Amino acid sequence: MTRPTPDKPGTPWVDTQDHRIKLSDYVVRLLDTEESRKDSFSGVVAVAKACYQAGIDEDGFSELVWQSALGAVFFTEEKCKTRGQFNKKCGNAWRYAEDSGSTSEERQHDVADKLASLLARVQSAPWPGRGGSSERAVAIALISYAVEINVYTVGVSVRTLVERSRLGFETTRKALGRLESKGLFTGSSQLAVALAPAGCDPT
């Protein structure tokens, strides 16, 4: 007999380990950590992209999010009252992931190669000046995140970059502003950034 889905998200009720082992440690931590309210949608999009690329279907993705701490925050933020409404919101994130991943295999390899090249250039650049070291750390954190999901445009929060760069929130925020002015990426109010494959001028 099938156990009914809980009425509230955030409560594990079926074994999703087969899906979880296909995801990176970072994505699993994202699922298990309550992101701030303003960041939950970008977190769910990041999980959707990771699931899409790992071969996990939409139902599996929705179940992973439903049973997670991130899902509990997302449910509240999106003002969902039922599991059906929650699934619809997750479906929006899934459509975004499908659109991002619908390129050909050749295109995916091209993205991976360019991101790897960009990361190598950023890592080897001198990054002079007072804020150079923090800019380098944030740039590496941002590009590494893009490498994980193999796309130029990523939905990522400042909180996530703080975690990945091991810098303070304000230091990370200021470094992002300088990196955008140097041409590493173009951004939006939700920090959905589009990386420039040609990179930027650290000097």
Side-chain angles (χ1 to χ4, degrees):
M1 179 175 168
T2 302
R3 183 179 175 184
T5 305
D7 293 332
K8 293 291 180 68
T11 305
W13 68 285
V14 297
D15 185 6
T16 57
Q17 187 60 27
D18 287 349
H19 289 332
R20 283 176 166 255
I21 61 176
K22 296 178 182 178
L23 303 174
S24 70
D25 290 342
Y26 171 73
V27 174
V28 172
R29 288 198 305 273
L30 184 61
L31 284 164
D32 293 339
T33 303
E34 291 190 3
E35 293 281 270
S36 69
R37 296 171 73 87
K38 68 178 182 179
D39 295 330
S40 67
F41 182 76
S42 60
V44 171
V45 169
V47 173
K49 289 180 179 180
C51 287
Y52 182 87
Q53 294 184 359
I56 299 170
D57 63 17
E58 183 177 351
D59 288 342
F61 152 69
S62 181
E63 196 61 59
L64 276 170
V65 177
W66 178 259
Q67 295 184 43
S68 70
L70 175 62
V73 176
F74 184 63
F75 184 91
T76 300
E77 179 187 348
E78 296 296 320
K79 297 180 173 59
C80 299
K81 296 185 181 301
T82 66
R83 176 64 190 266
Q85 291 175 346
F86 178 88
N87 285 348
K88 185 176 181 179
K89 297 290 186 178
C90 284
N92 293 338
W94 186 259
R95 299 287 89 74
Y96 186 89
E98 284 186 321
D99 291 343
S100 299
S102 63
T103 55
S104 66
E105 184 175 346
E106 181 179 348
R107 169 65 175 164
Q108 290 176 346
H109 285 308
D110 181 60
V111 170
D113 289 345
K114 287 183 177 179
L115 286 173
S117 177
L118 175 58
L119 181 59
R121 291 199 303 277
V122 166
Q123 289 173 326
S124 62
W127 293 94
R130 184 176 179 181
S133 61
S134 59
E135 290 171 21
R136 179 181 185 274
V138 173
I140 290 173
L142 178 59
I143 299 166
S144 296
Y145 183 85
V147 167
E148 287 183 13
I149 57 178
N150 199 36
V151 292
Y152 292 136
T153 302
V154 294
V156 59
S157 67
V158 176
R159 182 187 295 269
T160 294
L161 295 177
V162 165
E163 176 185 334
R164 295 174 74 95
S165 67
R166 301 183 183 275
L167 297 173
F169 184 92
E170 193 62 20
T171 300
T172 300
R173 188 186 66 79
K174 289 180 178 179
L176 279 168
R178 294 193 299 270
L179 288 169
E180 183 172 13
S181 68
K182 290 181 176 182
L184 179 63
F185 64 86
T186 56
S188 75
S189 58
Q190 291 186 329
L191 197 57
V193 304
L195 288 164
C200 64
D201 179 7
T203 61

PDB file of all heavy atoms in Angstrom, residues 67-87:
ATOM      1  N   GLN A  67      10.367  17.139   0.024  1.00  0.00           N
ATOM      2  CA  GLN A  67      10.822  16.508   1.259  1.00  0.00           C
ATOM      3  C   GLN A  67      11.992  17.257   1.908  1.00  0.00           C
ATOM      4  O   GLN A  67      12.537  16.791   2.908  1.00  0.00           O
ATOM      5  CB  GLN A  67      11.240  15.061   0.985  1.00  0.00           C
ATOM      6  CG  GLN A  67      10.090  14.177   0.555  1.00  0.00           C
ATOM      7  CD  GLN A  67      10.508  12.729   0.392  1.00  0.00           C
ATOM      8  OE1 GLN A  67      11.236  12.200   1.211  1.00  0.00           O
ATOM      9  NE2 GLN A  67      10.044  12.092  -0.659  1.00  0.00           N
ATOM     10  N   SER A  68      12.381  18.375   1.359  1.00  0.00           N
ATOM     11  CA  SER A  68      13.583  19.067   1.824  1.00  0.00           C
ATOM     12  C   SER A  68      13.266  20.305   2.651  1.00  0.00           C
ATOM     13  O   SER A  68      12.163  20.855   2.609  1.00  0.00           O
ATOM     14  CB  SER A  68      14.436  19.484   0.618  1.00  0.00           C
ATOM     15  OG  SER A  68      13.800  20.529  -0.111  1.00  0.00           O
ATOM     16  N   ALA A  69      14.288  20.774   3.376  1.00  0.00           N
ATOM     17  CA  ALA A  69      14.172  22.036   4.118  1.00  0.00           C
ATOM     18  C   ALA A  69      13.961  23.202   3.158  1.00  0.00           C
ATOM     19  O   ALA A  69      13.194  24.123   3.440  1.00  0.00           O
ATOM     20  CB  ALA A  69      15.428  22.256   4.965  1.00  0.00           C
ATOM     21  N   LEU A  70      14.656  23.148   2.025  1.00  0.00           N
ATOM     22  CA  LEU A  70      14.480  24.188   1.011  1.00  0.00           C
ATOM     23  C   LEU A  70      13.034  24.223   0.535  1.00  0.00           C
ATOM     24  O   LEU A  70      12.443  25.284   0.338  1.00  0.00           O
ATOM     25  CB  LEU A  70      15.421  23.928  -0.168  1.00  0.00           C
ATOM     26  CG  LEU A  70      15.299  24.856  -1.377  1.00  0.00           C
ATOM     27  CD1 LEU A  70      15.629  26.296  -0.989  1.00  0.00           C
ATOM     28  CD2 LEU A  70      16.211  24.385  -2.506  1.00  0.00           C
ATOM     29  N   GLY A  71      12.434  23.051   0.357  1.00  0.00           N
ATOM     30  CA  GLY A  71      11.047  22.964  -0.082  1.00  0.00           C
ATOM     31  C   GLY A  71      10.074  23.588   0.899  1.00  0.00           C
ATOM     32  O   GLY A  71       9.085  24.215   0.508  1.00  0.00           O
ATOM     33  N   ALA A  72      10.351  23.418   2.197  1.00  0.00           N
ATOM     34  CA  ALA A  72       9.483  24.004   3.209  1.00  0.00           C
ATOM     35  C   ALA A  72       9.481  25.526   3.119  1.00  0.00           C
ATOM     36  O   ALA A  72       8.437  26.175   3.228  1.00  0.00           O
ATOM     37  CB  ALA A  72       9.930  23.554   4.600  1.00  0.00           C
ATOM     38  N   VAL A  73      10.667  26.127   2.900  1.00  0.00           N
ATOM     39  CA  VAL A  73      10.758  27.577   2.748  1.00  0.00           C
ATOM     40  C   VAL A  73      10.088  28.013   1.447  1.00  0.00           C
ATOM     41  O   VAL A  73       9.356  29.010   1.404  1.00  0.00           O
ATOM     42  CB  VAL A  73      12.238  28.032   2.786  1.00  0.00           C
ATOM     43  CG1 VAL A  73      12.345  29.532   2.525  1.00  0.00           C
ATOM     44  CG2 VAL A  73      12.873  27.676   4.116  1.00  0.00           C
ATOM     45  N   PHE A  74      10.334  27.259   0.377  1.00  0.00           N
ATOM     46  CA  PHE A  74       9.758  27.574  -0.934  1.00  0.00           C
ATOM     47  C   PHE A  74       8.234  27.542  -0.877  1.00  0.00           C
ATOM     48  O   PHE A  74       7.553  28.416  -1.427  1.00  0.00           O
ATOM     49  CB  PHE A  74      10.285  26.550  -1.940  1.00  0.00           C
ATOM     50  CG  PHE A  74       9.852  26.787  -3.363  1.00  0.00           C
ATOM     51  CD1 PHE A  74      10.234  27.935  -4.037  1.00  0.00           C
ATOM     52  CD2 PHE A  74       9.102  25.843  -4.037  1.00  0.00           C
ATOM     53  CE1 PHE A  74       9.855  28.144  -5.361  1.00  0.00           C
ATOM     54  CE2 PHE A  74       8.723  26.038  -5.353  1.00  0.00           C
ATOM     55  CZ  PHE A  74       9.093  27.193  -6.012  1.00  0.00           C
ATOM     56  N   PHE A  75       7.673  26.557  -0.189  1.00  0.00           N
ATOM     57  CA  PHE A  75       6.224  26.407  -0.033  1.00  0.00           C
ATOM     58  C   PHE A  75       5.633  27.667   0.599  1.00  0.00           C
ATOM     59  O   PHE A  75       4.618  28.197   0.149  1.00  0.00           O
ATOM     60  CB  PHE A  75       5.935  25.189   0.841  1.00  0.00           C
ATOM     61  CG  PHE A  75       4.479  24.854   1.010  1.00  0.00           C
ATOM     62  CD1 PHE A  75       3.844  23.975   0.142  1.00  0.00           C
ATOM     63  CD2 PHE A  75       3.741  25.394   2.055  1.00  0.00           C
ATOM     64  CE1 PHE A  75       2.506  23.652   0.300  1.00  0.00           C
ATOM     65  CE2 PHE A  75       2.402  25.083   2.218  1.00  0.00           C
ATOM     66  CZ  PHE A  75       1.783  24.208   1.340  1.00  0.00           C
ATOM     67  N   THR A  76       6.302  28.164   1.648  1.00  0.00           N
ATOM     68  CA  THR A  76       5.820  29.352   2.352  1.00  0.00           C
ATOM     69  C   THR A  76       5.986  30.611   1.504  1.00  0.00           C
ATOM     70  O   THR A  76       5.060  31.428   1.376  1.00  0.00           O
ATOM     71  CB  THR A  76       6.573  29.525   3.681  1.00  0.00           C
ATOM     72  OG1 THR A  76       6.362  28.375   4.495  1.00  0.00           O
ATOM     73  CG2 THR A  76       6.103  30.769   4.420  1.00  0.00           C
ATOM     74  N   GLU A  77       7.170  30.758   0.908  1.00  0.00           N
ATOM     75  CA  GLU A  77       7.455  31.959   0.122  1.00  0.00           C
ATOM     76  C   GLU A  77       6.518  32.103  -1.056  1.00  0.00           C
ATOM     77  O   GLU A  77       6.075  33.208  -1.392  1.00  0.00           O
ATOM     78  CB  GLU A  77       8.895  31.926  -0.367  1.00  0.00           C
ATOM     79  CG  GLU A  77       9.272  33.133  -1.211  1.00  0.00           C
ATOM     80  CD  GLU A  77      10.654  33.015  -1.828  1.00  0.00           C
ATOM     81  OE1 GLU A  77      11.408  32.115  -1.425  1.00  0.00           O
ATOM     82  OE2 GLU A  77      10.959  33.817  -2.723  1.00  0.00           O
ATOM     83  N   GLU A  78       6.224  30.987  -1.718  1.00  0.00           N
ATOM     84  CA  GLU A  78       5.367  31.027  -2.904  1.00  0.00           C
ATOM     85  C   GLU A  78       3.877  31.008  -2.558  1.00  0.00           C
ATOM     86  O   GLU A  78       3.034  30.926  -3.437  1.00  0.00           O
ATOM     87  CB  GLU A  78       5.705  29.847  -3.826  1.00  0.00           C
ATOM     88  CG  GLU A  78       7.106  29.885  -4.401  1.00  0.00           C
ATOM     89  CD  GLU A  78       7.327  31.087  -5.310  1.00  0.00           C
ATOM     90  OE1 GLU A  78       6.403  31.432  -6.075  1.00  0.00           O
ATOM     91  OE2 GLU A  78       8.419  31.683  -5.249  1.00  0.00           O
ATOM     92  N   LYS A  79       3.574  31.042  -1.232  1.00  0.00           N
ATOM     93  CA  LYS A  79       2.195  31.110  -0.749  1.00  0.00           C
ATOM     94  C   LYS A  79       1.353  29.927  -1.223  1.00  0.00           C
ATOM     95  O   LYS A  79       0.164  30.073  -1.589  1.00  0.00           O
ATOM     96  CB  LYS A  79       1.535  32.433  -1.162  1.00  0.00           C
ATOM     97  CG  LYS A  79       2.210  33.663  -0.568  1.00  0.00           C
ATOM     98  CD  LYS A  79       1.510  34.947  -1.002  1.00  0.00           C
ATOM     99  CE  LYS A  79       2.061  36.160  -0.271  1.00  0.00           C
ATOM    100  NZ  LYS A  79       3.508  36.365  -0.477  1.00  0.00           N
ATOM    101  N   CYS A  80       1.973  28.752  -1.251  1.00  0.00           N
ATOM    102  CA  CYS A  80       1.253  27.542  -1.649  1.00  0.00           C
ATOM    103  C   CYS A  80       0.347  27.067  -0.503  1.00  0.00           C
ATOM    104  O   CYS A  80       0.712  27.174   0.667  1.00  0.00           O
ATOM    105  CB  CYS A  80       2.237  26.427  -2.000  1.00  0.00           C
ATOM    106  SG  CYS A  80       3.339  26.806  -3.368  1.00  0.00           S
ATOM    107  N   LYS A  81      -0.795  26.533  -0.849  1.00  0.00           N
ATOM    108  CA  LYS A  81      -1.708  25.976   0.149  1.00  0.00           C
ATOM    109  C   LYS A  81      -1.868  24.474  -0.012  1.00  0.00           C
ATOM    110  O   LYS A  81      -2.327  23.796   0.913  1.00  0.00           O
ATOM    111  CB  LYS A  81      -3.076  26.657   0.064  1.00  0.00           C
ATOM    112  CG  LYS A  81      -3.047  28.152   0.391  1.00  0.00           C
ATOM    113  CD  LYS A  81      -4.429  28.744   0.399  1.00  0.00           C
ATOM    114  CE  LYS A  81      -4.403  30.240   0.694  1.00  0.00           C
ATOM    115  NZ  LYS A  81      -3.793  30.558   1.993  1.00  0.00           N
ATOM    116  N   THR A  82      -1.514  23.949  -1.183  1.00  0.00           N
ATOM    117  CA  THR A  82      -1.666  22.519  -1.446  1.00  0.00           C
ATOM    118  C   THR A  82      -0.429  21.976  -2.143  1.00  0.00           C
ATOM    119  O   THR A  82       0.391  22.735  -2.679  1.00  0.00           O
ATOM    120  CB  THR A  82      -2.882  22.252  -2.357  1.00  0.00           C
ATOM    121  OG1 THR A  82      -2.620  22.828  -3.651  1.00  0.00           O
ATOM    122  CG2 THR A  82      -4.149  22.860  -1.761  1.00  0.00           C
ATOM    123  N   ARG A  83      -0.318  20.649  -2.157  1.00  0.00           N
ATOM    124  CA  ARG A  83       0.780  20.015  -2.879  1.00  0.00           C
ATOM    125  C   ARG A  83       0.665  20.293  -4.369  1.00  0.00           C
ATOM    126  O   ARG A  83       1.672  20.453  -5.067  1.00  0.00           O
ATOM    127  CB  ARG A  83       0.774  18.492  -2.629  1.00  0.00           C
ATOM    128  CG  ARG A  83       1.818  17.695  -3.418  1.00  0.00           C
ATOM    129  CD  ARG A  83       3.235  18.074  -3.024  1.00  0.00           C
ATOM    130  NE  ARG A  83       4.218  17.504  -3.918  1.00  0.00           N
ATOM    131  CZ  ARG A  83       4.856  16.346  -3.701  1.00  0.00           C
ATOM    132  NH1 ARG A  83       4.590  15.620  -2.630  1.00  0.00           N
ATOM    133  NH2 ARG A  83       5.757  15.917  -4.551  1.00  0.00           N
ATOM    134  N   GLY A  84      -0.553  20.382  -4.881  1.00  0.00           N
ATOM    135  CA  GLY A  84      -0.730  20.674  -6.296  1.00  0.00           C
ATOM    136  C   GLY A  84      -0.172  22.031  -6.678  1.00  0.00           C
ATOM    137  O   GLY A  84       0.473  22.184  -7.720  1.00  0.00           O
ATOM    138  N   GLN A  85      -0.413  23.028  -5.834  1.00  0.00           N
ATOM    139  CA  GLN A  85       0.130  24.359  -6.094  1.00  0.00           C
ATOM    140  C   GLN A  85       1.656  24.333  -6.021  1.00  0.00           C
ATOM    141  O   GLN A  85       2.335  24.980  -6.826  1.00  0.00           O
ATOM    142  CB  GLN A  85      -0.433  25.352  -5.083  1.00  0.00           C
ATOM    143  CG  GLN A  85      -1.913  25.637  -5.256  1.00  0.00           C
ATOM    144  CD  GLN A  85      -2.466  26.529  -4.159  1.00  0.00           C
ATOM    145  OE1 GLN A  85      -1.822  26.736  -3.134  1.00  0.00           O
ATOM    146  NE2 GLN A  85      -3.666  27.045  -4.366  1.00  0.00           N
ATOM    147  N   PHE A  86       2.169  23.597  -5.066  1.00  0.00           N
ATOM    148  CA  PHE A  86       3.615  23.459  -4.918  1.00  0.00           C
ATOM    149  C   PHE A  86       4.221  22.823  -6.172  1.00  0.00           C
ATOM    150  O   PHE A  86       5.233  23.285  -6.704  1.00  0.00           O
ATOM    151  CB  PHE A  86       3.923  22.600  -3.691  1.00  0.00           C
ATOM    152  CG  PHE A  86       5.378  22.332  -3.453  1.00  0.00           C
ATOM    153  CD1 PHE A  86       6.138  23.217  -2.691  1.00  0.00           C
ATOM    154  CD2 PHE A  86       5.983  21.194  -3.957  1.00  0.00           C
ATOM    155  CE1 PHE A  86       7.486  22.964  -2.449  1.00  0.00           C
ATOM    156  CE2 PHE A  86       7.320  20.941  -3.727  1.00  0.00           C
ATOM    157  CZ  PHE A  86       8.070  21.823  -2.968  1.00  0.00           C
ATOM    158  N   ASN A  87       3.592  21.754  -6.664  1.00  0.00           N
ATOM    159  CA  ASN A  87       4.090  21.083  -7.867  1.00  0.00           C
ATOM    160  C   ASN A  87       4.078  22.023  -9.070  1.00  0.00           C
ATOM    161  O   ASN A  87       4.976  21.972  -9.916  1.00  0.00           O
ATOM    162  CB  ASN A  87       3.242  19.852  -8.177  1.00  0.00           C
ATOM    163  CG  ASN A  87       3.538  18.690  -7.245  1.00  0.00           C
ATOM    164  OD1 ASN A  87       4.519  18.724  -6.506  1.00  0.00           O
ATOM    165  ND2 ASN A  87       2.681  17.684  -7.263  1.00  0.00           N
TER     166      ASN A  87
END
